[in-house]
């Protein structure tokens, strides 16, 4: 692409982009720091455990979990293996389709989610949601949907 083909950012676009990048880079670390202090888990580990905790019978197929956790299959596999090693999850072949793997939250995993959820929700509210009015929330949901689709 020739330099003449570059569409430079307008001041408005630059402000939006800079704000988004700041959020993307700073917010996960702050949320994770709060989770580490409260429960000794990373943000991705908590999200993984939380998604499984909300599933029927606290069980999900790995493919569904990868979609919900927005993680690559290899990253998710490594995290599930680590959580399994800590006794928080267990994996086994899907009885309905042996080619797939089911992840199940153990009782200690459930206990960790119960401990971690309240401080995590306080952090999410204090760092994000409490600063937004209903119109902001609707806009954020729409923007996240648009950007997530690409």
């Amino acid at each position: 692409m020739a330099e003449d083909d570059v569409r430079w950012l307008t001041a408005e676009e630059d402000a939006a982009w800079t704000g988004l990048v700041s959020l993307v880079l700073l917010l996960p670390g702050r949320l994770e720091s709060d989770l580490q202090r409260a429960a000794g888990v990373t943000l991705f580990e908590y999200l993984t455990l939380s998604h499984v905790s909300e599933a029927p019978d606290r069980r999900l197929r790995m493919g569904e979990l990868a979609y919900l956790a927005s993680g690559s299959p290899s990253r998710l596999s490594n995290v599930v293996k680590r959580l399994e090693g800590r006794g928080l999850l267990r994996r086994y072949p899907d009885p309905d389709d042996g080619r797939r793997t089911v992840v199940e939250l153990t009782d200690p995993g459930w206990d960790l989610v119960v401990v971690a959820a309240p401080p995590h929700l306080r952090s999410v509210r204090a760092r994000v949601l409490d600063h937004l009015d209903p119109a902001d929330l609707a806009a954020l949901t729409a923007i996240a949907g648009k950007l997530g689709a690409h």
Side-chain angles (χ1 to χ4, degrees):
M1 178 181 274
E3 190 170 322
D4 293 343
D5 296 339
V6 175
R7 289 182 50 220
W8 297 102
L9 302 181
T10 65
E12 184 178 67
E13 289 169 334
D14 186 54
W17 172 243
T18 302
L20 176 61
V21 167
S22 293
L23 283 174
V24 167
L25 295 176
L26 295 174
L27 188 58
R30 291 176 179 168
L31 294 171
E32 185 163 302
S33 177
D34 294 340
L35 274 168
Q36 285 281 357
R37 275 193 303 282
V41 292
T42 67
L43 180 59
F44 192 75
E45 288 170 340
Y46 172 75
L47 293 174
T48 299
L49 293 168
S50 176
H51 287 306
V52 179
S53 78
E54 294 171 349
D57 298 321
R58 299 190 310 216
R59 293 183 185 106
L60 274 177
R61 285 182 172 164
M62 281 286 284
E64 294 171 80
L65 183 55
Y67 173 78
L68 292 170
S70 301
S72 70
S74 63
R75 180 180 186 200
L76 180 64
S77 181
N78 288 331
V79 166
V80 167
K81 183 178 180 179
R82 190 166 56 244
L83 294 171
E84 188 176 34
R86 291 174 57 187
L88 304 173
L89 293 175
R90 74 180 194 99
R91 289 182 286 184
Y92 54 88
D94 186 335
D96 297 327
D97 183 349
R99 298 171 296 169
R100 297 189 173 161
T101 300
V102 172
V103 178
E104 180 177 12
L105 190 68
T106 63
D107 289 338
W110 173 257
D111 293 342
L112 190 142
V113 171
V114 168
V115 166
H120 175 64
L121 292 173
R122 282 192 291 274
S123 180
V124 167
R125 287 195 173 284
R127 297 183 183 282
V128 181
L129 299 177
D130 290 347
H131 304 281
L132 305 176
D133 63 30
D136 294 333
L137 285 173
L140 181 58
T141 301
I143 291 166
K146 285 181 182 180
L147 295 179
H150 298 287

